[in-house]
Amino acid sequence: MARIRKAVIPAAGMGTRFLPATKAIPKEMLPIVNKPSIQLIVEEAAAAGIEEVVIVTGRGKTDIVDHFDAHPQLEEILRRAGKEALLHEVVAPTKMVKLSTVRQQRPLGLGHAILCARHLIGNEPFVVFLPDDLVDAQRPCARQLMDVYEETGKSVLALMNVPRSETHMYGIAAGSVDPNDPRRVVVDRLVEKPSNEQAPSTLAVVGRYVLDPVVFDWLARTVPGRGDEIQLTDALASMVTTSGILGYLFEGNRFDAGDVTGYLLANLNWAHKQPRIWSQIEDFVRSHPSK
Ligand code: UTP
C-alpha cells in the first residue's frame, strides 16, 4: 500500500467564532502556551511521518507563512547573545517538514480549500489536518489513521463519540463496528451537522482525515451545500458508496481551539505539561474560588 508522505492544512477560513481576536490575526497563530496552534499541528504531522505539508491560506494569513520561514536577523541576535535554547525554538518550525502554501482566493468552503492543493498533492493518498482540532495523544492521531490506511487502502476519518446534544456541531458518521477491532467503523452514511433528533449516530468526525486522491474528483463535482459552501462531507458521502470509507475512534484528547472555551482548555492541557507554569496556575485557581 502507498506510503503517505503529504498533508494539507486548510487555514483560509475567517475564524468568526473568535472575533474580535481574529480580525487582524489568523486564528491559527493564536498561541497554545508559547507556540502558535498551527505549529502543534505541523509537529503532529512531522511526528506521524509526514514529509511535505501544504498550508491553504487566504487574505490576511501571511503571518502563518512568516512563522515557518527563517528569520536570519533574529537568529543572529539570539546567537550573539548565547541564547541557544531560544534560537532552537525559533529555528525548529523551519525544519520540521517541507512546507508550501497555496492561496484560496475566495472562502468557498473546506472542500474547495482542499481542492486548491490538488496540484501539489498529485495522485497520492494524503492527510488533512484541520488546524482548529488539536489532539493530545501518545501516538499522533494522524499516525493512528495512517496505519489503518496503510493496512486497508481505504480512506479513514478520525471519529469521536459526542453527546447527542452536540451532534449539530459536527459531521456525523454512521456504520458498523469492525468485529475484529472495536475502534474501526465501516462507514455507511455521513451527514454534515444534522439536528440532534435526526443525527444517525453520535460518532462525530473530527479534524484528521486520510484521503485517497480520488477525493479530488469528487470535490471537483461537488456543488455548494450547507452554508452555500463546497463541503468536504458531501464529497466524502459520495465516496462512502463508491470507494468505501472507514472511521477510526482514535486514542487521545481533542480540543476545539477554534472555540474560545476549547482554546482555553487546550492552553490548560499544554500548560499542565510544564510544571513551573502549572504550579502558578494552581496557585491562581486556589486563590479564586468559583462564584
Ligand atoms: P470552519 O467552518 O471552522 O470556519 O472551517 P472558520 O472560518 O475557520 O471558523 P469559524 O467557524 O468562522 O469560527 C473549518 C476549516 O476549514 C478551513 C478553515 O480555515 C478551518 O481550518 N476553511 C474553511 C478554509 O480553508 N476555507 C474555507 O473557505 C472555509
Side-chain angles (χ1 to χ4, degrees), residues 82-100:
K83 296 188 171 168
E84 293 300 325
L86 278 181
L87 178 62
H88 174 77
E89 296 281 348
V90 166
V91 172
T94 68
K95 303 208 154 156
M96 293 188 288
V97 291
K98 187 172 170 209
L99 200 122
S100 45

Side-chain angles (χ1 to χ4, degrees), residues 116-163:
C116 291
R118 181 177 200 165
H119 62 292
L120 294 168
I121 298 296
N123 197 26
E124 294 186 32
F126 63 103
V127 184
V128 171
F129 292 78
L130 298 194
D132 280 353
D133 280 333
L134 301 177
V135 183
D136 187 12
Q138 257 184 352
R139 212 154 54 93
C141 178
R143 185 68 250 168
Q144 298 176 41
L145 308 190
M146 288 157 73
D147 286 347
V148 178
Y149 176 88
E150 287 175 1
E151 192 192 315
T152 63
K154 299 248 182 274
S155 297
V156 191
L157 319 178
L159 296 182
M160 181 180 88
N161 245 312
V162 296

